[in-house]
Amino acid sequence: FDAGAFLTTNLMLHAINSVLLFAALRRLTRSTYRSAFVAAVFAVHPLHVESVAWVAARKDVLSGVFWMLALWLHAGDGPPLRRRVGVAVCFVLGFSCKPTIVTLPFALLLLDDWRLHVADSRSGWDVARLRAALADKSVLFALLLVFGIVMFLAQQSGGTVQDLDSLPTGMRLKNAAASYVAYIGATFWPVGLSFFYPHPGDSLSWPVAAACFALLGAVTVAALLARNHRHLIVGWLWFLGILFPTIGLVQIGAQARADRYMYLPLIGLCIMVAWSIPTSLGRRRTQRVALAMVAGAVLAALSIRTSLQLPVWHDSVSLFEHGLEVTSNNHVAHAQLAGAYLARGWSQDAVDQYEAALEISHDYTSVANNLAWLLATDDSLDSPDLARAVELAEMAAEWSAGADPSILDTLAVCYAAVHRFDDAVEISLRGIALADLGDDPSLGAEMRSRLAAYRAGRPYRVPEMTDGS
């Protein structure tokens, strides 16, 4: 409830990441101003608001510290063994913060290629250099294999990985292509940012084809220009590769994409811009002054957009209301806003938001359960529809196959509200048995107290809230 210290820590970690990014790029390329521009964009870009302003996104900024430190160490010229050990330690610590850091070895290979080109643009990869680069990262790739298995099993056991039945491969590929383009758009025009972007499912058609052509065209151009403009292919592959684990081919959660996923991939697009424009403009003093003014204007514009995005994260109501303003068919925003309204005691507004969420997602189990509970137990509602409460509770129980004790608890409460006390007792006993099997003593105790009321022929009512509790 008092998140100031947590947010200050997030901000400090983000600032450290910005400084480390500048130091790593400066050490790698010997280009001070371009490295500073990339680091400054990284520091103030609106896409990074979520990673800093959301306390639970600490994993983004904390893993970023170890990522940036690994880049800085790898770009150094110290003893190889000490450098390898330092990078490996950063890799392990970074993975312990956020598993998507598994792309670090590939990012280091890209930097090897870029450094080789910066040192001598006429030289390139040969078998010996490639073998040496892979050997240099052999420990990282071994860790990568272990980390990849651990990451997949952890997500799968947590129930966050969507199976192919619920989200077929075709839908995933379409959303991945469209998301890549959407991320690029949000990088260069960061408006309409939301805490949650609903997955489009199978509704995408021609935008996917356009996205695929755009991506293939951009990669092709970067590859053709790679000999004299190595930063283009390095930046593209950085963006595409580091974003790949979270692009949705292995679907985690219900979102189409998320701003926080761009915390590290954004660097690749910034590298492309920072090293392309100065090269194309030349080195005259007037051109450099104009370029500096443009860079300052870009940073000022991004800072203004970030200052406008920060108040969105002030509290739950502002966050979820903004999500509804900038997205459509956002069932998650409706459901979360209902919970935020309930926390303020706005029960009738919460009912409206729950109904809106169910209208979009017809089998939203948790929303049906929450709305049923609210209709059956809250005396502050204008005209609670008890029949609707029973209907919703029965649907939620059916969708959960009667295996969730909290949903059975809601169903019992709804039956008691319409004076079906025998049914309430039967369902409550089933729920208590499941709660006991699931080792949930607090839920079991609450259900037993309500069971006594049902047996006495009394419905359960939520105690009146006081002091905003």
Side-chain angles (χ1 to χ4, degrees), residues 14 36-49 183-191 193 266 269-270 273 293-311:
H14 181 60
F37 178 75
V38 172
V41 171
F42 179 87
V44 302
H45 202 284
L47 278 174
H48 289 165
V49 169
Y183 282 127
I184 296 171
T187 298
F188 293 99
W189 192 253
V191 297
L193 304 181
L266 179 74
L269 298 179
C270 293
V273 172
M293 294 176 63
V294 171
V298 168
L299 293 174
L302 290 175
S303 299
I304 292 172
R305 280 303 311 164
T306 294
S307 69
L308 295 175
Q309 186 68 15
L310 281 171

Side-chain angles (χ1 to χ4, degrees), residues 397-429:
E398 181 181 352
W399 293 335
S400 64
D404 189 327
S406 63
I407 291 178
L408 293 179
D409 184 26
T410 299
L411 181 57
V413 165
C414 293
Y415 281 154
V418 294
H419 294 182
R420 292 171 56 179
F421 295 110
D422 291 340
D423 292 332
V425 169
E426 178 187 351
I427 294 298
S428 186
L429 288 172

Side-chain angles (χ1 to χ4, degrees), residues 186-253:
T187 298
F188 293 99
W189 192 253
V191 297
L193 304 181
S194 176
F195 81 101
F196 182 86
Y197 301 95
H199 198 287
D202 204 22
S203 62
L204 293 171
S205 52
W206 67 265
V208 175
C212 291
F213 279 118
L215 290 173
L216 289 175
V219 173
T220 302
V221 171
L224 292 174
L225 299 176
R227 182 173 181 82
N228 296 320
H229 304 277
R230 204 63 166 191
H231 53 275
L232 290 178
I233 194 65
V234 169
W236 263 121
L237 293 180
W238 180 293
F239 164 69
L240 296 173
I242 295 177
L243 193 54
F244 184 79
T246 55
I247 201 62
L249 296 181
V250 178
Q251 182 69 29
I252 307 297

Side-chain angles (χ1 to χ4, degrees), residues 42-71:
F42 179 87
V44 302
H45 202 284
L47 278 174
H48 289 165
V49 169
E50 180 173 325
S51 294
V52 178
W54 184 24
V55 173
R58 168 69 55 81
K59 56 192 174 186
D60 292 337
V61 292
L62 188 54
S63 65
V65 170
F66 299 113
W67 176 283
M68 303 301 181
L69 190 57
L71 298 187

Side-chain angles (χ1 to χ4, degrees), residues 308-378:
L308 295 175
Q309 186 68 15
L310 281 171
V312 170
W313 288 83
H314 179 270
D315 56 70
S316 298
V317 171
S318 64
L319 179 64
F320 303 137
E321 286 183 341
H322 177 77
L324 291 176
E325 291 173 3
V326 298
T327 62
S328 59
N329 295 325
N330 197 332
H331 57 290
V332 171
H334 282 294
Q336 296 293 338
L337 183 57
Y341 284 163
L342 275 179
R344 297 190 177 188
W346 304 346
S347 299
Q348 190 58 53
D349 293 324
V351 169
D352 297 338
Q353 292 300 321
Y354 278 141
E355 291 286 11
L358 280 174
E359 187 175 347
I360 298 169
S361 180
H362 303 296
D363 57 351
Y364 204 157
T365 305
S366 61
V367 166
N369 181 68
N370 293 344
L371 179 55
W373 178 277
L374 184 60
L375 291 172
T377 63
D378 197 323

Side-chain angles (χ1 to χ4, degrees), residues 9-17 20 42 51-52 54-70 90-98 101 263-264:
T9 306
N10 276 11
L11 186 60
M12 291 173 61
L13 291 171
H14 181 60
I16 291 171
N17 290 337
L20 285 174
F42 179 87
S51 294
V52 178
W54 184 24
V55 173
R58 168 69 55 81
K59 56 192 174 186
D60 292 337
V61 292
L62 188 54
S63 65
V65 170
F66 299 113
W67 176 283
M68 303 301 181
L69 190 57
C90 289
F91 191 31
V92 172
L93 294 175
F95 180 82
S96 72
C97 303
K98 188 171 184 178
I101 202 175
Y263 192 71
L264 296 174

